[in-house]
Amino acid sequence: MKAYDMVIKNGIIVTATDVYKADIGVKNEKIVEIAKEIDSNNAANVIDATDKYVFPGAIDVHTHLDMPFGGTVSSDNFETGTVAAAYGGTTTIIDFAIQSKGESLKKALEIWHNKAQGKAFIDYGFHIAITDMNDEILDEMKELIKEGYPSFKLFMTYEGLRVNDDVLLKALLLAKEEGGLICVHAENFYIIDYLVKKFVREGKTHPKFHALSRPTIAEWEAVSRAIKVAQFANAPLYIVHLSCMEALKEVTYARNRGLPIMAETCPQYLLLSEERYEEEGFNGAKYVMSPPLRSSEHLQALWEGLKCGQLQVVSTDHCPFFLKGQKDLGKDSFDKIPNGAPGIELRLALLFSYGVMTKRITLQQFVEIISTNPAKIFGLYPQKGTVTIGSDADLVIFDPSIEKRVTKELLHENDDYTPYEGFKITGLPVTTIVRGKVVIKDGKLVGQKGYGKFLKRKNLMVV
Ligand code: URP
Ligand code: ZN
Ligand code: ZN
């Protein structure tokens, strides 16, 4: 019997705090040794990582796989979506189990467990999106926090999903008491509803009116309100897919006063601007997502927010729909276009190319944003999110010398387009390891469907 199941030799290990050259020994799914030199004769499998970075497996805390939404279902399921994630260096996702009206949270979880069971190539957890609150649901929240589901999402907009401030307050008070975390999709429903109806009435139906009906003030107001309700409840709050500088200022102001407010943004809000809605014909529909893409000054502000630590996470909000056959449900009017876009595969490559290579963020910050902070905030640290003895052997070997142009054909997402077509990429994950098993080897899928396991989470941290 060999001492190690795997030894990774000569890689440059990067954590949120360190960059150093060392070998990594893996046994029984865990990292068991990190040393300057580990004898590879003692290993069943040796991987040479010379001139490559070794990152902790990336964690994407915002995905929508196999999700009914906007009159259709997101086009990646737990098989195709986790394969694409693994190609991109992501070893864990946290997806959203969405409660239907009149349904218990446990029922929503049962449905989402069935979607994922036996399909995932990488590990996964679930947030629960609450759409129908009452006293029984509050009791369920209490129970579920203890059972490994400590994070909940509330939509402040979207007809049929949204909740009012009384629900937000009750959920925050309970989460504070029981050690849970409330995440919010923060946009003002009434501003959006007013503008959507007005544009439709005026015959303004092109995809660009999606963005015009969701101005930054709608996000700003809702972020500001959610923060104030959280402050009143003395509870931590996590704002999902933050897209604009006014909202970022609210987060910064709150954090500077010591409030436990955290926020994520996504590659689309860092790299794509509102001009995309002007693309020929119906192509603007590719970028119909909520919040929408913003003007370039917002992109700049978000990069600053990452650099200064006022934004703690970059997730993808991967919610793919085919342009032909799904997005075109809204061919006649923007308000019928399913909201969402693909992105699960390119998060690391984009953030490395346009963040690290351009010196907007450091290599350590990159790791913090894509792995360590998500693990800490959502109760997976230090099992995941770092490279240390005792952690799961979730590792990404990343080759910074690869240069490519993004094409849809390069990717494994189940969609007929990528919003990043033509983007120049420097650096790509080449090997992805989940709990000591190689899932992607030198750019090829070698993992097994169903290997990915459900993760119970606890001990959430405020970062
Ligand atoms: O447009 C988006 N973001 N679609 C996914 C659902 C959500 O709001 O997160
Ligand atoms: Zn959302
Ligand atoms: Zn989302």
Side-chain angles (χ1 to χ4, degrees), residues 62-64 67 69 96 98 153 155 158 185 240-241 264 266 268 290 315-319 339-340:
H62 191 150
T63 66
H64 300 282
M67 179 181 70
F69 196 56
F96 293 88
I98 318 250
K153 180 176 181 181
F155 293 96
Y158 293 138
H185 173 138
V240 301
H241 50 44
E264 65 175 24
C266 311
Q268 53 271 33
S290 298
S315 68
T316 63
D317 192 12
H318 179 72
C319 189
N339 285 204

Side-chain angles (χ1 to χ4, degrees), residues 1-9 23-34 38-49 54 392-397 431-441 446 451:
M1 178 82 99
K2 301 275 188 187
Y4 306 104
D5 299 331
M6 176 189 289
V7 167
I8 299 164
K9 299 280 300 172
D23 296 349
I24 299 173
V26 174
K27 183 84 183 167
N28 296 335
E29 305 193 354
K30 300 280 181 192
I31 296 172
V32 292
E33 192 170 357
I34 302 173
I38 298 178
D39 185 355
S40 45
N41 289 319
N42 286 332
N45 181 14
V46 180
I47 297 177
D48 181 21
V54 182
D392 283 357
D394 290 358
L395 299 160
V396 182
I397 302 179
T431 297
T432 304
I433 298 161
V434 179
R435 284 179 286 107
K437 286 268 180 294
V438 182
V439 177
I440 304 294
K441 183 170 188 254
V446 295
Y451 174 72

Side-chain angles (χ1 to χ4, degrees), residues 74-352:
S74 62
S75 58
D76 265 315
N77 60 26
F78 278 81
E79 179 178 349
T80 59
T82 58
V83 167
Y87 269 106
T90 291
T91 53
T92 298
I93 56 167
I94 309 183
D95 205 84
F96 293 88
I98 318 250
Q99 176 202 23
S100 291
K101 296 277 184 211
E103 187 181 85
S104 69
L105 303 185
K106 284 184 189 148
K107 182 67 192 171
L109 282 170
E110 184 192 317
I111 293 168
W112 256 263
H113 272 292
N114 285 336
K115 289 174 191 275
Q117 184 64 39
K119 290 217 181 77
F121 281 72
I122 62 171
D123 289 351
Y124 58 93
F126 293 120
H127 313 283
I128 307 170
I130 301 174
T131 64
D132 198 1
M133 177 67 97
N134 56 45
D135 286 349
E136 278 134 52
I137 299 296
L138 283 169
D139 287 342
E140 266 198 303
M141 282 178 76
K142 222 189 272 187
E143 249 181 85
L144 290 169
I145 290 171
K146 293 191 183 75
E147 287 176 20
Y149 306 90
S151 47
F152 303 87
K153 180 176 181 181
L154 301 177
F155 293 96
M156 296 170 78
T157 192
Y158 293 138
E159 193 67 80
L161 293 176
R162 74 188 179 92
V163 296
N164 285 326
D165 291 359
D166 63 332
V167 172
L168 176 62
L169 176 58
K170 281 180 186 144
L172 282 162
L173 288 167
L174 184 129
K176 165 70 188 166
E177 210 51 45
E178 304 294 330
L181 178 65
I182 301 302
C183 309
V184 282
H185 173 138
E187 288 182 292
N188 180 300
F189 170 76
Y190 295 100
I191 293 176
I192 295 167
D193 189 54
Y194 165 76
L195 287 172
V196 169
K197 286 180 177 150
K198 177 174 175 311
F199 288 141
V200 171
R201 215 172 36 243
E202 291 169 357
K204 296 173 174 164
T205 55
H206 184 271
K208 72 181 175 197
F209 289 101
H210 170 76
L212 293 170
S213 67
R214 306 182 96 99
T216 58
I217 195 165
E219 185 178 352
W220 179 12
E221 185 282 328
V223 165
S224 163
R225 177 162 35 106
I227 289 174
K228 288 179 177 80
V229 179
Q231 182 179 357
F232 172 77
N234 196 20
L237 176 73
Y238 182 90
I239 292 149
V240 301
H241 50 44
L242 185 144
S243 76
C244 69
M245 65 187 174
E246 297 91 333
L248 176 58
K249 277 185 191 149
E250 294 291 337
V251 170
T252 303
Y253 179 66
R255 286 176 65 83
N256 287 347
R257 286 180 300 143
L259 298 178
I261 307 298
M262 297 167 282
E264 65 175 24
T265 190
C266 311
Q268 53 271 33
Y269 302 120
L270 292 162
L271 294 169
L272 303 171
S273 58
E274 63 188 5
E275 289 76 28
R276 296 272 170 166
Y277 294 110
E278 300 292 347
E279 282 184 12
E280 202 189 0
F282 188 64
N283 279 339
K286 291 178 183 173
Y287 315 98
V288 166
M289 60 185 79
S290 298
L293 302 179
R294 306 299 191 187
S295 61
S296 52
E297 57 183 343
H298 295 279
L299 281 57
Q300 199 50 43
L302 296 183
W303 280 113
E304 276 301 313
L306 281 177
K307 193 188 181 84
C308 304
Q310 299 297 354
L311 294 168
Q312 297 74 47
V313 173
V314 172
S315 68
T316 63
D317 192 12
H318 179 72
C319 189
F321 299 105
F322 280 78
L323 192 58
K324 291 202 179 61
Q326 293 190 291
K327 288 277 186 186
D328 53 13
L329 288 169
K331 199 99 193 133
D332 295 331
S333 188
F334 71 90
D335 60 322
K336 304 286 184 305
I337 300 170
N339 285 204
I344 206 165
E345 193 165 347
L346 283 173
R347 182 172 58 124
L348 273 63
L350 291 169
L351 208 59
F352 185 84

